[in-house]
Amino acid sequence: MDYASAAANSEDLCMWEPVAGAPPATQTPLESFLTDLQSAALASFGERDFDPKLYVDLPLRSALSVTRTAFEALPRLCSGKIASDTLKHFIDKFFDVPGSDLLPHVPKDFRSEPEGFLPLVKSQEARVWALKVHALWLQLSRKVAENVQNQPDMHTLLPLPYPVIVPGSRFREVYYWDSYWIIRGLAVSKMYDTAKGIVRNLFSLVQTYGFVPNGARTYYKNRSQPPLLSAMVRVVYENTHDLDFVEEAFPVLLREHSFWQSDLHRVHIMDRKGHKHSLNRYSANWIGPRPESSTIDKQIADRLSKEKRSLLYHDIASAAESGWDFSSRWMQNGHDLSSMRTSSIVPVDLNAFLFQMEMNLSFFASLLKEKEHMKYFRSAAEARRCAIEAILWSERMGQWLDYWLPYSKHSTYSRGHGKFKKFHVLDIVNQNVNVFPSNFIPLWCGVLRPGDSRIENIVKAFSSSGLLYSAGVPSSLRQTGQQWDFPNAWAPLQHMIIEGLDWTNSKDAQIIAEVIARRWIWTNYNSFNATGEMQEKLDAQICGKVGYGGEYKPQAGFGWSNGVVLALLQKYGWPEDPTLTCR
């Protein structure tokens, strides 16, 4: 069923409300002009192979005022469109190529075959491929051009102090949660200095904006992405034991934690025993079309009133903040993007990530002998664990479930710290009983204590969930045409499921984890051999088949896919037999 709760229409859901004192972000003058150009390009060039992001990534050659004046002076046809040849000539004259403000860079710590690289890989076939994947870091390494810093009004790219690894293809800039799996791969490649630089770039964004934006573009500053910065710091520390790096990171991580604890993202729920809990949701600071997809968002919202359009735009941007853009997970009607209600949902994975962040902060505080911080974040993590178990856990299904917030008529108010808090009253029918891999992400984040009696039931629930396919774990069991739905399998979801199952120390879980890992290695190898590239997403049904669907064509490169394959080969290796060819 579509969200599987008693709240069957939009009036029953908690509507997003702007936070007092924090007006939604607005477009920069450059973004505003580039979205106008984007709309004109769609009208002139047509929908076939049209990518709206290309136009907001264009670096200016002349001042914005000069460029806009020239654009407005272009002759129009009777229909109001600009002739395609005229617009193409204008773009060629006034703009540089997208991505030209990022320069190729050779990382100083790259070695064609690092010492001690993948000792468990015994197959020559697998080793040759793994070295090709390792070599892709050279193709994806960039350095932000100096003119981005010197002429910020001519670029949507944000300046960064250190070299970067980009995902690839249309994703020409740094992305927040992609960076975690890139760093996992860099650790396998022994490229610790490059990994530190990537994390320090994210530090610089937090120091400038108070959080890590979705990506390093001005148009991404209205939202973040899954909060994995503390996990990146931990990966670097566990591979280098660099305590100075942890000390450098700590105040930045404190600031990021404050961002996620703000009223924009926080919700309060009273459980069935009257206990009060605080959890989090994805909630972008935005109520307009996303600049990078403005033409698409306007089409989705076309039939709605102005007020409902603003709410929908907010929920579309909030879905982008989740990293799952887009999925039936965020929709009342899984086949209708205009039914998106992201900010009305308390997601399992976000709250598990924040639990992990709080545990990491407690761990870092202990390393730094910051006893008060250590106690505070340990207590915060325990309170969140309690909330996750009370609100999101389903004993009947043996997994955690997203919770859809009911409308305010199902709420109560409680005074605390001098102000009233709105508490939603838990109603178990508002849990989303549809199965997603995210339902099991708490295993990866350590929410379940070692030896918890529920482990075997959770493993059984996963085994019988329908998520185990011959070429990976799909993002959902619903085929909607969206890229974070069936049959698409994504590298980060595979990795979190594999490691989460492995870390339970259950024999059955570890067997399943290795099966998924070997299937994922198989399908990536065969896809690479067929296309010559590592892919962003794959089809969970068929070994070696590229994924599809969503608002853009399948992309190759690909940062997090490379990182996950290298991490899995590091953990599981590959014997001389069997062959890597699809069975």
Side-chain angles (χ1 to χ4, degrees):
M1 45 200 319
D2 293 322
Y3 127 68
S5 89
N9 57 69
S10 61
E11 283 73 21
D12 288 330
L13 293 179
C14 171
M15 294 293 107
W16 172 77
E17 299 171 5
V19 177
T26 56
Q27 287 186 332
T28 66
L30 177 58
E31 290 167 17
S32 179
F33 168 64
L34 292 177
T35 54
D36 288 345
L37 176 64
Q38 182 191 96
S39 297
L42 177 60
S44 297
F45 301 140
E47 292 189 1
R48 185 176 180 182
D49 296 332
F50 183 78
D51 183 358
K53 184 177 183 294
L54 181 146
Y55 298 93
V56 294
D57 290 356
L58 290 166
L60 297 185
R61 286 181 175 169
S62 304
L64 176 57
S65 58
V66 173
T67 308
R68 181 179 276 283
T69 299
F71 175 71
E72 290 171 351
L74 292 175
R76 264 63 174 179
L77 303 173
C78 294
S79 62
K81 297 179 184 178
I82 302 168
S84 58
D85 288 347
T86 302
L87 186 58
K88 185 178 184 305
H89 177 73
F90 167 77
I91 291 171
D92 291 343
K93 180 179 179 180
F94 283 91
F95 297 92
D96 287 323
V97 175
S100 59
D101 39 10
L102 280 157
L103 307 176
H105 172 76
V106 178
K108 291 180 180 178
D109 53 355
F110 178 83
R111 302 289 180 271
S112 57
E113 184 164 3
E115 185 178 348
F117 184 66
L118 299 179
L120 299 180
V121 175
K122 306 302 181 185
S123 159
Q124 187 61 23
E125 178 186 30
R127 178 164 289 277
V128 168
W129 172 54
L131 285 169
K132 289 179 180 177
V133 174
H134 162 72
L136 291 174
W137 299 132
L138 290 175
Q139 293 184 25
L140 299 173
S141 182
R142 303 282 189 277
K143 189 169 185 177
V144 177
E146 285 185 12
N147 59 1
V148 175
Q149 177 75 49
N150 298 335
Q151 299 173 307
D153 294 342
M154 299 176 72
H155 305 263
T156 57
L157 191 69
L158 296 175
L160 294 170
Y162 296 91
V164 305
I165 301 287
V166 298
S169 297
R170 78 194 285 268
F171 299 112
R172 308 170 184 93
E173 53 283 309
V174 166
Y175 284 81
Y176 182 5
W177 80 315
D178 292 59
S179 297
Y180 173 81
W181 286 278
I182 288 171
I183 286 167
R184 290 293 299 264
L186 290 171
V188 176
S189 295
K190 319 292 185 186
M191 295 173 65
Y192 305 125
D193 288 341
T194 298
K196 285 181 180 179
I198 290 171
V199 180
R200 285 187 168 116
N201 283 332
L202 302 184
F203 291 172
S204 75
L205 293 172
V206 176
Q207 288 160 345
T208 304
Y209 304 109
F211 66 101
V212 183
N214 183 149
R217 292 273 178 189
T218 61
Y219 54 74
Y220 285 141
K221 293 191 299 182
N222 58 66
R223 60 184 187 264
S224 188
Q225 261 194 334
L228 296 176
L229 184 56
S230 73
M232 297 180 216
V233 173
R234 187 146 187 171
V235 171
V236 170
Y237 175 73
E238 289 177 349
N239 281 276
T240 66
H241 303 290
D242 186 344
L243 193 58
D244 289 340
F245 185 76
V246 174
E247 189 169 16
E248 177 187 350
F250 196 67
V252 178
L253 296 175
L254 292 179
R255 191 168 179 189
E256 190 197 25
H257 184 266
S258 295
F259 166 78
W260 284 99
Q261 291 303 95
S262 69
D263 289 342
L264 182 65
H265 291 100
R266 208 167 188 198
V267 297
H268 308 284
I269 305 174
M270 184 181 293
D271 67 22
R272 288 173 290 185
K273 296 179 180 178
H275 299 145
K276 298 168 184 174
H277 304 280
S278 293
L279 287 167
N280 291 71
R281 61 178 176 174
Y282 291 111
S283 184
N285 189 28
W286 193 249
I287 56 172
R290 295 166 298 152
E292 74 278 14
S293 300
S294 180
T295 52
I296 294 172
D297 291 359
K298 287 175 180 176
Q299 289 173 358
I300 295 169
D302 185 51
R303 303 187 309 271
L304 302 179
S305 67
K306 184 177 179 180
E307 181 185 0
K308 288 187 175 179
R309 275 202 302 270
S310 294
L311 292 170
L312 176 60
Y313 289 145
H314 170 72
D315 281 317
I316 288 173
S318 299
E321 184 172 62
S322 79
W324 288 51
D325 42 338
F326 295 113
S327 169
S328 59
R329 187 180 171 200
W330 312 123
M331 304 175 213
Q332 281 184 284
N333 175 353
H335 294 274
D336 182 2
L337 284 166
S338 70
S339 72
M340 214 173 297
R341 299 293 183 269
T342 319
S343 60
S344 294
I345 300 167
V346 180
V348 168
D349 48 359
L350 172 59
N351 285 284
F353 294 145
L354 289 168
F355 170 85
Q356 180 189 64
M357 178 198 286
E358 287 158 351
M359 290 296 288
N360 283 338
L361 280 164
S362 180
F363 171 69
F364 298 147
S366 70
L367 292 177
L368 299 171
K369 298 185 172 22
E370 295 269 2
K371 290 185 179 180
E372 291 305 312
H373 277 121
M374 182 185 72
K375 290 177 185 176
Y376 174 82
F377 284 108
R378 172 69 68 171
S379 175
E382 288 304 324
R384 188 175 300 276
R385 190 203 308 264
C386 208
I388 289 171
E389 299 304 326
I391 308 302
L392 306 178
W393 171 251
S394 170
E395 187 68 34
R396 181 177 66 85
M397 292 185 64
Q399 58 196 274
W400 295 268
L401 303 173
D402 294 340
Y403 185 77
W404 285 62
L405 295 168
Y407 192 49
S408 56
K409 65 184 179 183
H410 302 291
S411 305
T412 186
Y413 290 83
S414 177
R415 190 178 184 98
H417 301 291
K419 63 179 181 179
F420 284 96
K421 288 182 181 178
K422 178 179 178 179
F423 278 87
H424 300 277
V425 179
L426 176 68
D427 187 341
I428 209 70
V429 301
N430 291 330
Q431 287 184 330
N432 184 351
V433 299
N434 291 310
V435 174
F436 303 96
S438 51
N439 295 2
F440 299 92
I441 296 305
L443 294 178
W444 185 70
C445 295
V447 172
L448 212 62
R449 291 185 177 90
D452 192 300
S453 61
R454 295 172 295 171
I455 287 175
E456 294 307 322
N457 286 338
I458 294 170
V459 174
K460 287 177 184 175
F462 180 78
S463 300
S464 61
S465 66
L467 290 171
L468 277 168
Y469 272 78
S470 61
V473 175
S475 304
S476 81
L477 300 179
R478 306 189 63 188
Q479 192 154 9
T480 65
Q482 298 306 319
Q483 63 171 352
W484 286 85
D485 275 321
F486 188 86
N488 286 338
W490 293 80
L493 297 184
Q494 315 304 307
H495 196 232
M496 289 187 285
I497 291 293
I498 290 163
E499 287 199 331
L501 289 168
D502 182 62
W503 292 344
T504 64
N505 291 322
S506 156
K507 269 191 181 177
D508 290 342
Q510 290 174 334
I511 289 169
I512 295 168
E514 185 165 358
V515 166
I516 299 169
R518 298 215 175 276
R519 288 174 178 176
W520 191 246
I521 292 168
W522 257 318
T523 192
N524 275 272
Y525 174 82
N526 285 276
S527 170
F528 183 88
N529 275 358
T531 66
E533 297 175 304
M534 290 291 287
Q535 301 297 323
E536 176 195 32
K537 53 185 177 281
L538 296 168
D539 186 328
Q541 304 170 100
I542 302 169
C543 180
K545 185 179 178 184
V546 178
Y548 56 90
E551 62 182 14
Y552 57 82
K553 287 184 172 182
Q555 303 294 298
F558 196 85
W560 63 14
S561 301
N562 309 347
V564 168
V565 159
L566 291 175
L568 293 179
L569 287 171
Q570 173 85 355
K571 165 73 176 174
Y572 294 103
W574 199 270
E576 291 185 13
D577 291 312
T579 177
L580 277 161
T581 306
C582 285
R583 296 188 190 185

